[in-house]
C-alpha cells in the first residue's frame, strides 16, 4: 500500500478542524466535498431541509396558550465571542393551570458559502437543545426544528437568562450568516393527569461552565487523560436524581468511528492521521468514582463526508442531537449531606475535541419534615473490556463490553425507596483499509433498566420500572467503486417501556429509524448525492411512519402517516 496515497486519503476523510484552538466549534467537512460543491448543482430558489422524526404529540385542543419569541438574532462572525444572552420571562397568563407540553421551535435561514456549525441553547446554564446548522446553497436554505422540552418545565416556570452560542466565521470566503428565530410554545393541561414515574423534575441543576465565556457552556475534553468537572450541591429533601448528558464530537474525533488503530498508523508511518482506534466511551464520575457511561450515537453533521447527502434530508440526529440519561438515585445517600460534590467527565481514547455538559434533574420531597436520608448499597463498575484483533493485513476488529450496576435506598415521606440501576453496553467495529478505500461496519448496543421499589408508610409496596434498549448500526464504504465514491448507512433503533405494579397500563415505544446515503459521479462527471430514510414508530401513545428519498435537492418520494391505521 502506498503510504502517501493512504495518508492523503485519511487527511481528506478525517481532518476536521479549520482552526487550531481547542475551543473551536468550527468543524470542517471532508475538504474534497465542501459546501462550494453545492455551487455547481442546480437548486431551487430556496431549499427547505428537514430531519425525519415523529411529530410532537400535542393536547387535543392544540392551540398554545402562549408562544414566546425568546430570541431573534443574526449570527455572523460570532466565533470566540460571548454567547448571545437575553432575559427570559415565562408567560404570566399561562402559569396557573400547568402544562401538558412545551415545545421549542428553532427556525433559521442562511445562504452563500458556510460550513456546518454546532450550537447550543442554555437556560441559566441548563442545556435544553444542541444542534448543527444546515450547510447553505448559494440561493439559500431554510430549516425548522421542533423539540419537546416539557422535561424542563420547572426551569421554564421562572425568569432565567437564556444563552445561545453559535460560533460562526464570516469573511470573504465564508459568507453565510445564520438568521435565527427561537420560540417557545406552551400548551395547557387538558385535564388533571395522574402522576407517572417519569414526571418532570422539580429542580434542574446545571453541570456546565459558568458565564462569562467566549464559547459555549459545554466542557471541552481534548484528550483521553482530560477530565472536566463541576462542583454542585443538592437540596437535602431530594429523593430521586437523573443526570442528563449532552455529547458532541469534533476536530480529530468528529469521525471517531473511522479512526484506525495506532498500530496501523505506526506501520504506515502516518503523521497527520487521527488515531486511537474507533472506540469511544464517555464516562461520568461522582466524587472520583465512576457511576455511569454513554456510548454515543454516531451523529453525522450536515457537512459530514458531503453536504450533497444531507439536503434536503439531514442526517439522523444532526438537527436535534440526542441526550443520554444516567440514574443517580442510588448515590443520593452520598450527596444528601448539604456539602459540595463533584461530577467529572472524560472520554476513553479521546482526541480533540468533545463537548460535554449535563443537567442534574432532582425530584424533591416537599412533604418531608426536615431532610431525606439514604445509603449506597453497591456500585459494581468494572473497567471496560476492549479487544483489538487483526484478522489479516489492514483489517481490524475492535470490540468492547461493559456492565454497570448500582443500588441504593432513600427514606422520604413517600416511604422507603430502593433503586436498582443497570447499564450494559457492547460494541463491535470491523474496519478494512485498502489503498484509498475504507470500509467500516460498526454496531453499538446500549441497555438500561431502573427498578424502583417503594414501601409506603401505610400501604402495600409497589415497583416502578423504566427500561430502554438502543441499537446504533453504522456502515461506511469510503472509496471509489465504479461511479460510487461513498456509501453510508446509519440507524437509530430504540425500545422503551415505563410501567408500575400499581397500574396494568404500560407506556411503551419501539422505533426503527434507518437511513442510507450515496455519493456518486454520473456519466457527465457531475456529483450526485442521494438519500433514503425509513422511520417507523409503534407505541402506546400512537404510531407513525415516514418513508422518503431525495437526489440532489429533489424529493423523489415522500410518504408519511399513521402506521397503526396502515396495519
Amino acid at each position: 500500500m502506498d503510504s502517501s496515497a493512504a495518508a492523503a486519503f485519511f487527511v481528506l476523510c478525517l481532518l476536521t478542524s479549520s482552526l487550531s484552538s481547542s475551543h473551536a466549534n468550527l468543524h470542517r467537512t471532508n475538504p474534497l466535498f465542501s459546501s462550494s460543491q453545492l455551487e455547481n448543482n442546480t437548486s431551487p430558489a430556496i431549499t427547505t431541509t428537514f430531519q425525519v422524526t415523529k411529530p410532537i404529540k400535542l393536547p387535543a385542543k392544540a392551540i398554545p396558550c402562549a408562544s414566546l419569541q425568546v430570541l431573534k438574532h443574526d449570527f455572523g462572525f460570532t466565533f470566540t465571542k460571548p454567547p448571545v444572552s437575553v432575559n427570559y420571562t415565562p408567560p404570566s397568563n399561562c402559569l396557573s393551570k400547568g402544562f401538558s407540553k412545551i415545545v421549542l421551535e428553532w427556525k433559521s435561514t442562511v445562504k452563500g458559502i458556510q460550513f456546518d456549525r454546532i450550537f447550543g441553547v442554555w437556560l441559566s446554564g441548563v442545556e435544553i437543545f444542541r444542534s448543527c446548522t444546515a450547510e447553505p446553497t448559494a440561493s439559500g436554505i431554510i430549516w425548522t426544528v421542533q423539540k419537546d422540552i416539557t422535561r424542563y418545565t420547572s426551569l421554564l416556570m421562572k425568569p432565567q437568562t437564556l444563552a445561545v452560542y453559535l460560533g460562526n466565521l464570516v469573511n470573504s470566503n465564508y459568507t453565510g450568516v445564520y438568521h435565527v428565530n427561537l420560540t417557545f410554545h406552551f400548551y395547557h393541561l387538558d385535564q388533571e393527569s395522574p402522576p407517572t414515574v417519569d414526571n418532570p423534575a422539580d429542580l434542574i441543576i446545571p453541570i456546565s461552565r459558568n458565564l462569562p465565556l467566549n464559547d459555549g457552556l459545554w466542557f471541552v475534553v481534548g484528550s483521553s487523560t482530560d477530565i472536566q468537572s463541576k462542583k454542585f450541591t443538592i437540596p437535602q429533601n431530594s429523593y430521586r436524581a437523573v443526570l442528563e448528558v449532552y455529547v458532541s464530537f469534533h476536530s480529530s474525533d468528529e469521525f471517531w468511528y473511522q479512526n484506525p488503530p495506532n498500530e496501523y498508523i505506526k506501520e504506515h508511518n502516518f503523521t497527520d492521521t487521527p488515531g486511537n482506534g474507533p472506540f469511544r466511551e464517555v464516562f461520568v464520575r461522582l466524587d472520583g468514582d465512576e457511576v455511569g457511561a454513554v456510548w454515543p450515537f454516531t451523529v453525522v453533521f450536515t457537512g459530514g463526508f458531503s453536504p450533497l447527502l444531507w439536503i434536503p434530508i439531514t442526517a439522523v440526529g444532526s438537527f436535534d442531537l440526542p441526550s443520554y440519561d444516567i440514574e443517580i438515585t442510588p448515590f443520593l445517600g452520598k450527596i444528601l449531606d448539604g456539602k459540595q460534590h463533584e461530577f467529572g467527565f472524560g472520554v476513553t481514547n479521546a482526541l480533540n475535541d468533545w463537548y460535554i455538559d449535563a443537567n442534574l434533574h432532582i425530584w424533591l420531597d416537599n412533604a418531608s419534615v426536615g431532610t431525606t436520608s439514604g445509603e449506597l448499597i453497591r456500585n459494581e463498575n468494572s473497567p471496560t473490556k476492549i479487544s483489538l484483533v487483526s484478522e489479516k493485513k489492514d483489517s481490524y476488529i475492535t470490540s468492547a463490553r461493559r456492565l454497570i450496576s448500582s443500588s441504593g435506598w432513600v427514606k422520604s415521606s413517600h416511604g422507603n425507596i430502593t433503586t436498582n440501576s443497570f447499564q450494559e453496553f457492547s460494541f463491535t467495529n470491523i474496519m478494512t483499509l485498502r489503498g484509498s478505500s475504507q470500509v467500516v461496519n460498526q454496531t453499538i448496543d446500549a441497555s438500561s433498566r431502573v427498578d424502583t421499589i417503594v414501601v409506603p408508610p401505610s400501604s402495600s409496596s409497589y415497583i416502578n420500572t423504566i427500561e430502554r434498549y438502543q441499537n446504533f448500526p453504522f456502515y461506511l464504504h469510503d472509496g471509489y467503486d465504479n461511479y460510487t465514491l461513498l456509501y453510508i448507512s446509519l440507524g437509530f433503533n430504540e425500545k422503551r417501556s415505563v410501567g408500575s405494579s400499581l397500574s396494568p397500563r404500560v407506556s411503551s415505544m419501539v422505533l426503527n429509524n434507518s437511513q442510507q446515503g450515496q455519493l456518486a459521479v454520473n456519466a457527465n462527471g457531475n456529483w450526485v448525492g442521494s438519500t433514503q430514510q425509513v422511520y417507523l414508530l409503534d407505541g402506546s401513545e400512537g404510531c407513525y411512519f415516514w418513508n422518503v428519498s431525495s437526489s440532489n435537492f429533489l424529493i423523489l418520494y415522500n410518504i408519511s402517516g399513521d402506521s397503526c391505521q396502515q396495519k
Side-chain angles (χ1 to χ4, degrees):
M1 178 179 181
D2 182 73
S3 62
S4 62
F9 164 72
F10 278 110
V11 168
L12 288 174
C13 292
L14 303 176
L15 188 62
T16 58
S17 178
S18 58
L19 297 177
S20 60
S21 168
S22 65
H23 286 221
N25 78 338
L26 304 173
H27 58 265
R28 187 169 66 187
T29 180
N30 183 333
L32 180 62
F33 309 133
S34 69
S35 58
S36 61
Q37 181 186 77
L38 303 176
E39 300 296 300
N40 300 320
N41 286 270
T42 303
S43 65
I46 188 165
T47 304
T48 298
T49 305
F50 57 90
Q51 179 171 296
V52 173
T53 187
K54 67 178 178 65
I56 296 173
K57 186 178 181 181
L58 299 174
K61 299 177 181 179
I63 301 175
C65 65
S67 292
L68 296 181
Q69 185 184 69
V70 294
L71 179 72
K72 183 177 182 181
H73 190 79
D74 298 334
F75 290 86
F77 195 109
T78 51
F79 176 64
T80 68
K81 294 184 179 180
V84 176
S85 297
V86 296
N87 293 325
Y88 162 78
T89 303
S92 57
N93 60 316
C94 280
L95 297 180
S96 58
K97 295 183 180 179
F99 302 107
S100 62
K101 196 72 66 177
I102 306 175
V103 177
L104 176 153
E105 184 176 59
W106 174 282
K107 288 186 176 181
S108 185
T109 61
V110 61
K111 68 177 181 179
I113 296 177
Q114 193 54 266
F115 286 122
D116 47 352
R117 310 301 189 192
I118 198 75
F119 66 90
V121 179
W122 293 264
L123 272 173
S124 290
V126 172
E127 185 163 10
I128 63 173
F129 182 47
R130 188 175 300 189
S131 182
C132 175
T133 63
E135 281 217 18
T137 64
S139 301
I141 201 163
I142 183 172
W143 77 101
T144 300
V145 186
Q146 290 190 330
K147 178 180 179 179
D148 185 346
I149 57 171
T150 312
R151 73 180 305 183
Y152 307 108
T153 296
S154 61
L155 191 70
L156 291 155
M157 297 287 279
K158 52 190 176 181
Q160 308 280 338
T161 298
L162 182 137
V164 178
Y165 183 76
L166 195 168
N168 193 25
L169 180 66
V170 174
N171 54 29
S172 58
N173 294 320
Y174 305 114
T175 58
V177 174
Y178 293 98
H179 308 284
V180 171
N181 283 279
L182 179 61
T183 304
F184 294 164
H185 303 284
F186 297 82
Y187 296 85
H188 269 156
L189 287 168
D190 281 343
Q191 57 185 6
E192 287 298 323
S193 301
T196 64
V197 295
D198 58 350
N199 274 341
D202 301 299
L203 173 69
I204 307 174
I205 299 173
I207 312 296
S208 60
R209 296 194 296 169
N210 297 325
L211 294 172
L213 292 166
N214 292 324
D215 194 359
L217 280 68
W218 40 57
F219 300 104
V220 181
V221 174
S223 71
S224 59
T225 59
D226 188 6
I227 306 296
Q228 297 292 322
S229 61
K230 176 74 174 287
K231 293 184 178 180
F232 68 97
T233 304
I234 67 169
Q236 291 181 270
N237 63 335
S238 306
Y239 72 90
R240 187 187 175 202
V242 173
L243 189 70
E244 178 194 19
V245 183
Y246 278 89
V247 174
S248 59
F249 26 84
H250 310 280
S251 303
S252 297
D253 259 1
E254 180 177 344
F255 305 100
W256 50 270
Y257 39 83
Q258 275 190 281
N259 287 17
N262 290 336
E263 64 182 59
Y264 175 87
I265 295 173
K266 183 178 180 180
E267 178 184 349
H268 294 278
N269 198 29
F270 295 154
T271 58
D272 296 321
T273 301
N276 282 6
F279 174 72
R280 299 292 183 271
E281 172 189 62
V282 178
F283 55 85
V284 179
R285 293 176 178 173
L286 175 59
D287 294 335
D289 297 325
E290 290 193 20
V291 296
V294 172
W295 291 21
F297 172 65
T298 51
V299 178
V300 178
F301 299 122
T302 57
F305 303 106
S306 168
L308 277 176
L309 295 173
W310 316 123
I311 301 175
I313 309 170
T314 194
V316 177
S318 57
F319 279 174
D320 185 5
L321 273 69
S323 61
Y324 308 85
D325 287 350
I326 298 174
E327 191 75 26
I328 302 297
T329 309
F331 303 93
L332 279 179
K334 297 183 65 176
I335 59 177
L336 278 169
D337 53 9
K339 299 179 181 179
Q340 277 196 333
H341 296 271
E342 186 175 57
F343 276 117
F345 306 97
V347 182
T348 304
N349 296 333
L351 301 176
N352 64 313
D353 281 318
W354 288 71
Y355 298 163
I356 304 172
D357 63 17
N359 307 319
L360 183 59
H361 296 249
I362 297 288
W363 285 258
L364 301 175
D365 183 7
N366 294 315
S368 176
V369 178
T371 64
T372 56
S373 60
E375 183 180 346
L376 175 66
I377 299 172
R378 74 170 193 278
N379 180 24
E380 298 175 357
N381 202 331
S382 58
T384 304
K385 297 179 180 179
I386 307 172
S387 69
L388 173 64
V389 177
S390 179
E391 272 199 326
K392 46 190 174 182
K393 184 175 176 61
D394 298 339
S395 183
Y396 303 89
I397 300 177
T398 304
S399 60
R401 295 189 67 87
R402 190 169 198 188
L403 177 63
I404 301 171
S405 174
S406 60
S407 179
W409 60 263
V410 175
K411 186 176 181 181
S412 71
S413 67
H414 303 287
N416 195 80
I417 304 172
T418 301
T419 301
N420 301 300
S421 175
F422 306 90
Q423 284 187 291
E424 186 173 5
F425 303 94
S426 66
F427 171 95
T428 303
N429 179 293
I430 303 172
M431 183 182 299
T432 303
L433 305 127
R434 291 196 178 97
S436 60
S437 71
Q438 181 184 36
V439 176
V440 175
N441 191 355
Q442 177 176 289
T443 301
I444 297 174
D445 293 291
S447 300
S448 66
R449 179 185 175 102
V450 178
D451 292 326
T452 305
I453 305 169
V454 184
V455 183
S458 58
S459 60
S460 301
S461 63
Y462 60 93
I463 300 176
N464 296 329
T465 300
I466 301 175
E467 288 186 280
R468 172 174 283 171
Y469 165 71
Q470 294 178 317
N471 167 254
F472 306 147
F474 179 89
Y475 179 85
L476 173 72
H477 185 175
D478 192 352
Y480 191 82
D481 183 10
N482 294 324
Y483 288 102
T484 301
L485 300 179
L486 181 140
Y487 174 82
I488 184 171
S489 174
L490 56 157
F492 191 111
N493 305 315
E494 183 174 16
K495 297 179 181 179
R496 188 173 188 266
S497 66
V498 179
S500 173
S501 60
L502 289 177
S503 171
R505 181 181 182 274
V506 176
S507 173
S508 63
M509 179 273 287
V510 178
L511 170 66
N512 291 285
N513 189 5
S514 176
Q515 185 178 55
Q516 296 80 38
Q518 304 85 30
L519 183 70
V521 177
N522 64 19
N524 297 323
N526 296 320
W527 299 105
V528 178
S530 58
T531 303
Q532 305 83 42
Q533 187 166 355
V534 177
Y535 181 102
L536 184 61
L537 176 72
D538 194 345
S540 54
E541 294 188 359
C543 309
Y544 185 74
F545 78 94
W546 193 346
N547 188 357
V548 61
S549 177
S550 68
S551 179
N552 277 25
F553 307 112
L554 300 177
I555 294 292
L556 304 180
Y557 56 83
N558 188 3
I559 309 167
S560 62
D562 187 331
S563 54
C564 292
Q565 293 179 357
Q566 294 296 318
K567 290 178 183 179

